[in-house]
Each structure stands twice: as C-alpha cells, then as structure tokens.
C-alpha cells in the first residue's frame, strides 16, 4: 500500500513552525536520508573503519563520522542559520547573520557503526549571541524551538519536538519522503531501564542509590546508542540514564546536541529529563562541547531518581 495518504514532513511543518525553522528541519531530513543510504551500503563503499584521526572529544573518528559531518554541514548551511555547532568540530562554524544556531551530532552511537542502529541529533536554538559561541553569555536548552533525532533502523525514524508536542516520522525510500506515522508520542509509564550497568563500580553512593531507585522493577535494555535507547523509552516506556561517574565526573553526554534535544523531546512528550537535581533545559551552557549527566524518561522513574539522589548519604 502506498504511503501517499500520510502527511509529509513538509506538510506537517507548514504553519506549525516559522518558515526558517521548517527549512532547517527539512534540510536535516534530507541529510539524514542521504546518511541512511550511506549506512545501508557502508561495507560496499569502503565507509567502515577509522580515519586515523581523533576529534575534539579525543575520540577516534570513524570514516562515517566524517562522512556524516560533511553531509550535515553541506545540508544545513542555508539562509537563516547563523552558526553550526557539531560534535565533530572543535569550534562553531559561523555562517552569517541568521536567527538560528543549529547544534547537531551527525552520528550518535559510533560504537554501533556497522553492527547496530546509530542515529543523528539536532537542536535548533535562537537567541545565541552573535559570533562563534564562546559561552561569555550562557545559553540554555529552553532556547530551542525544535529538537529532533533520527534512528537509522528498520524503519528509519525521525522524532521531532515542535510546539510542545512530539511526533514520529518514517522515511519512505520509495518516494524519498518522511511521513507522519506516530502522531502525538507521549512518554509512557516506566517499563525499561537503559543504562550501562557495567559502570556500577564507577558511581558514587548517591548515583548507585538513585539508579537503583529509578530502575526498580523495570527490565534492562541498553544498546550503546543513545537515540536508539531514547526511542525505546518513548515508544515502549522507561528511563534512559547516563549519570556522572569516576571516568566522566561531569557526565559523558554533550549538552547542546545530545542532552538538551532529548530534554526538550522528553518534556514535550510529558516526560522529564534531569541532571540529577535540575531539569537539563535549565542548566547554563558555557562551552560548545559542555558535558553533563542525563536521566530522561517517564516522570515516575525520573522523580524516583531525583529523590534518591538528593537524599543525604
Ligand atoms: P558513542 O560514544 O558511541 O557515540 O554520544 C555518546 C554515546 O555513544 C551515546 O550514543 C551512548 O548512549 C553512549 O555514548 C555510550 O557510552 P558507553 O559506551 O560509555 O556506554
């Protein structure tokens, strides 16, 4: 059965967000569609393996990290975009005098390349000071108008937070369009706990207590690809956790293009996202690649975490 009866991404965005934002989301959709093709044929086109270089985060750069970063830069450099902040770039790239700062992780879950689904994340911000973001004036995730992510699975799914609601789109390779298939996604009751349990020895007593409280009675699922785990939390219910630990005392995930977009998506879906105490969307960000802890999902599980985390030892 053809998908033509389902609203396209363009039709969905029309009138719901400003035209400039719609153009950025559509550009993100186009780049994601092209990345999907590259991922599907990567072993055939010599796109697996590492480049031999390391990125600003001191992580080995996979060929697909670089490929994806180039793709998103080419696609997102459009009128209205003032600067691009990518996980893969040391510094923000200033484009012009537009209203929007677009932060993105072109390929999330790099350890899964070639073996399991990976994804891409985007946050579209307004109100950044002019020039490359240097943190002199802190920003927060509340400045995002739209946040989204794509999971390159079967199907390839895009989740978007726009105007206080969350919707899911699937990519139709037949006519190369994104179509609305999951309208009005709500963060459901907690079912799964997604956390890397192998790090238990690295957690402080308050994190151990809080993780156990949040996860009590839930089933475990962890892929090593944040967006895949967050998609499961949204579609089936649960909580995703990446707390601070002794290896990453300030947390591992990055604020502008990982934590905040997931924060806006969770809050818009009726869930919650905190760093332990605070909503992640209220945390001041002063560096392009600032890190933080993240606990995101069903309110009941996130609140259990917050309570146990703040209980004195
Ligand atoms: P990756 O480093 O492979 O890109 O963004 C960071 C991230 O993946 C998340 O997607 C994922 O949830 C997490 O790190 C996995 O980290 P661990 O291997 O430390 O569990």
């Amino acid at each position: 059965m053809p998908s033509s009866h389902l609203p396209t991404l363009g039709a969905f965005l029309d009138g719901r967000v400003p035209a400039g934002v719609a153009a950025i989301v559509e550009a993100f959709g186009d780049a994601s569609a092209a990345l999907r093709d590259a991922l599907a044929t990567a072993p055939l086109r010599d796109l697996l393996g590492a480049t031999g270089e390391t990125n600003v985060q001191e992580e080995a750069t996979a060929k697909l990290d670089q490929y994806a970063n180039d793709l998103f830069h080419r696609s997102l450099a459009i009128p209205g975009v003032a600067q691009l902040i990518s996980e893969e770039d040391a510094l923000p790239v200033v484009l012009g005098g537009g209203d929007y700062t677009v932060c993105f992780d072109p390929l999330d879950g790099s350890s899964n390349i070639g073996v399991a689904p990976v994804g891409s994340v985007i946050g579209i911000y307004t109100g950044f000071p002019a020039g490359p973001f240097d943190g002199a004036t802190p920003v927060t995730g509340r400045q995002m108008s739209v946040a989204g992510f794509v999971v390159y699975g079967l199907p390839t799914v895009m989740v978007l937070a726009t105007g206080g609601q969350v919707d899911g789109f699937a990519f139709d390779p037949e006519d190369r369009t994104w179509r609305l298939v999951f309208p009005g996604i709500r963060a459901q009751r907690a079912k799964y706990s997604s956390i890397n349990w192998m790090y238990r020895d690295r957690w402080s007593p308050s994190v151990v207590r809080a993780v156990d409280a949040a996860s009590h009675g839930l089933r475990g699922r962890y892929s090593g690809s944040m967006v895949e785990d967050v998609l499961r939390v949204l579609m089936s219910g649960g909580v995703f956790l990446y707390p601070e630990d002794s290896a990453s005392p300030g947390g591992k995930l990055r604020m502008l293009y990982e934590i905040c977009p997931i924060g806006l998506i969770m809050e818009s879906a009726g869930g919650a996202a905190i760093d332990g105490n605070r909503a992640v969307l209220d945390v001041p960000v002063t560096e392009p690649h600032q890190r933080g802890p993240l606990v995101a999902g069903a309110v009941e599980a996130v609140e259990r975490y917050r309570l146990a985390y703040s209980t004195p030892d």
Side-chain angles (χ1 to χ4, degrees):
M1 180 173 167
S3 66
S4 49
H5 62 291
L6 298 167
T8 62
L9 176 62
F12 172 85
L13 293 170
D14 192 22
R16 164 172 284 276
V17 297
V21 175
I24 296 167
V25 175
E26 294 241 46
F28 175 68
D30 291 345
S32 301
L35 182 54
R36 168 201 170 271
D37 297 344
L39 289 165
T41 55
L44 307 166
R45 316 214 180 288
D46 191 27
L47 276 174
L48 294 183
T51 60
E53 290 163 19
T54 50
N55 67 9
V56 60
Q57 332 265 357
E58 292 177 5
E59 300 161 343
T61 307
K63 288 180 189 172
L64 274 162
D65 283 326
Q66 197 170 69
Y67 183 93
N69 197 38
D70 292 346
L71 200 57
F72 279 85
H73 271 284
R74 280 200 302 276
S75 206
L76 292 167
I78 58 176
V81 177
Q83 64 182 309
L84 297 172
I85 297 178
S86 165
E87 192 215 348
E88 294 298 324
D89 301 333
L91 297 170
V93 174
V94 175
L95 296 174
D99 292 334
Y100 303 108
T101 291
V102 179
C103 302
F104 59 97
D105 181 354
L107 207 156
D108 180 67
S110 304
S111 68
N112 281 325
I113 288 175
V115 291
V118 292
S120 303
V121 191
I122 189 171
I124 303 173
Y125 296 74
T126 52
F128 268 51
F133 176 62
D134 61 5
T137 307
V139 299
T140 74
R142 300 262 175 229
Q143 291 173 228
M144 264 180 301
S145 50
V146 169
F149 65 79
V150 168
V151 177
Y152 303 100
L154 291 174
T156 293
V157 169
M158 180 192 296
V159 172
L160 273 187
T162 58
Q165 73 176 61
V166 177
D167 300 277
F169 303 79
F171 181 71
D172 188 340
E174 296 255 315
D175 61 359
R176 301 195 67 76
T177 53
W178 292 94
R179 292 193 182 265
L180 180 65
V181 287
F182 304 122
I185 295 171
R186 303 296 293 165
Q188 305 177 35
R189 286 176 61 82
K191 181 172 181 187
Y192 295 110
S193 171
S194 271
I195 186 167
N196 192 335
W197 287 101
M198 299 308 288
Y199 295 162
R200 194 175 181 88
D201 291 350
R202 300 180 183 177
W203 300 333
S204 69
S206 56
V207 170
V208 169
R209 197 170 51 233
V211 168
D212 286 348
S215 307
H216 182 73
L218 309 187
R219 297 197 222 167
R221 293 283 189 281
Y222 187 75
S223 73
S225 184
M226 179 190 70
V227 286
E228 187 188 346
D229 290 325
V230 168
L231 182 64
R232 182 185 308 102
V233 163
L234 284 168
M235 302 306 284
S236 306
V239 59
F240 173 85
L241 311 99
Y242 206 118
E244 69 276 22
D245 60 33
S246 57
S248 309
K252 176 187 178 190
L253 304 176
R254 276 58 54 108
M255 293 296 297
L256 288 178
Y257 42 80
E258 291 180 316
I259 292 174
C260 289
I262 300 308
L264 184 64
I265 288 166
M266 280 302 168
E267 287 198 6
S268 303
I274 63 170
D275 67 352
N277 301 304
R278 293 171 295 183
V280 295
L281 294 179
D282 292 326
V283 176
V285 181
T286 56
E287 291 170 31
H289 300 295
Q290 185 170 319
R291 295 174 188 263
L294 174 65
V295 178
V299 168
E300 58 180 281
V302 174
E303 280 307 312
R304 286 202 301 264
Y305 189 99
R306 192 201 306 264
L307 204 62
Y309 188 74
S310 60
T311 304
D313 288 334

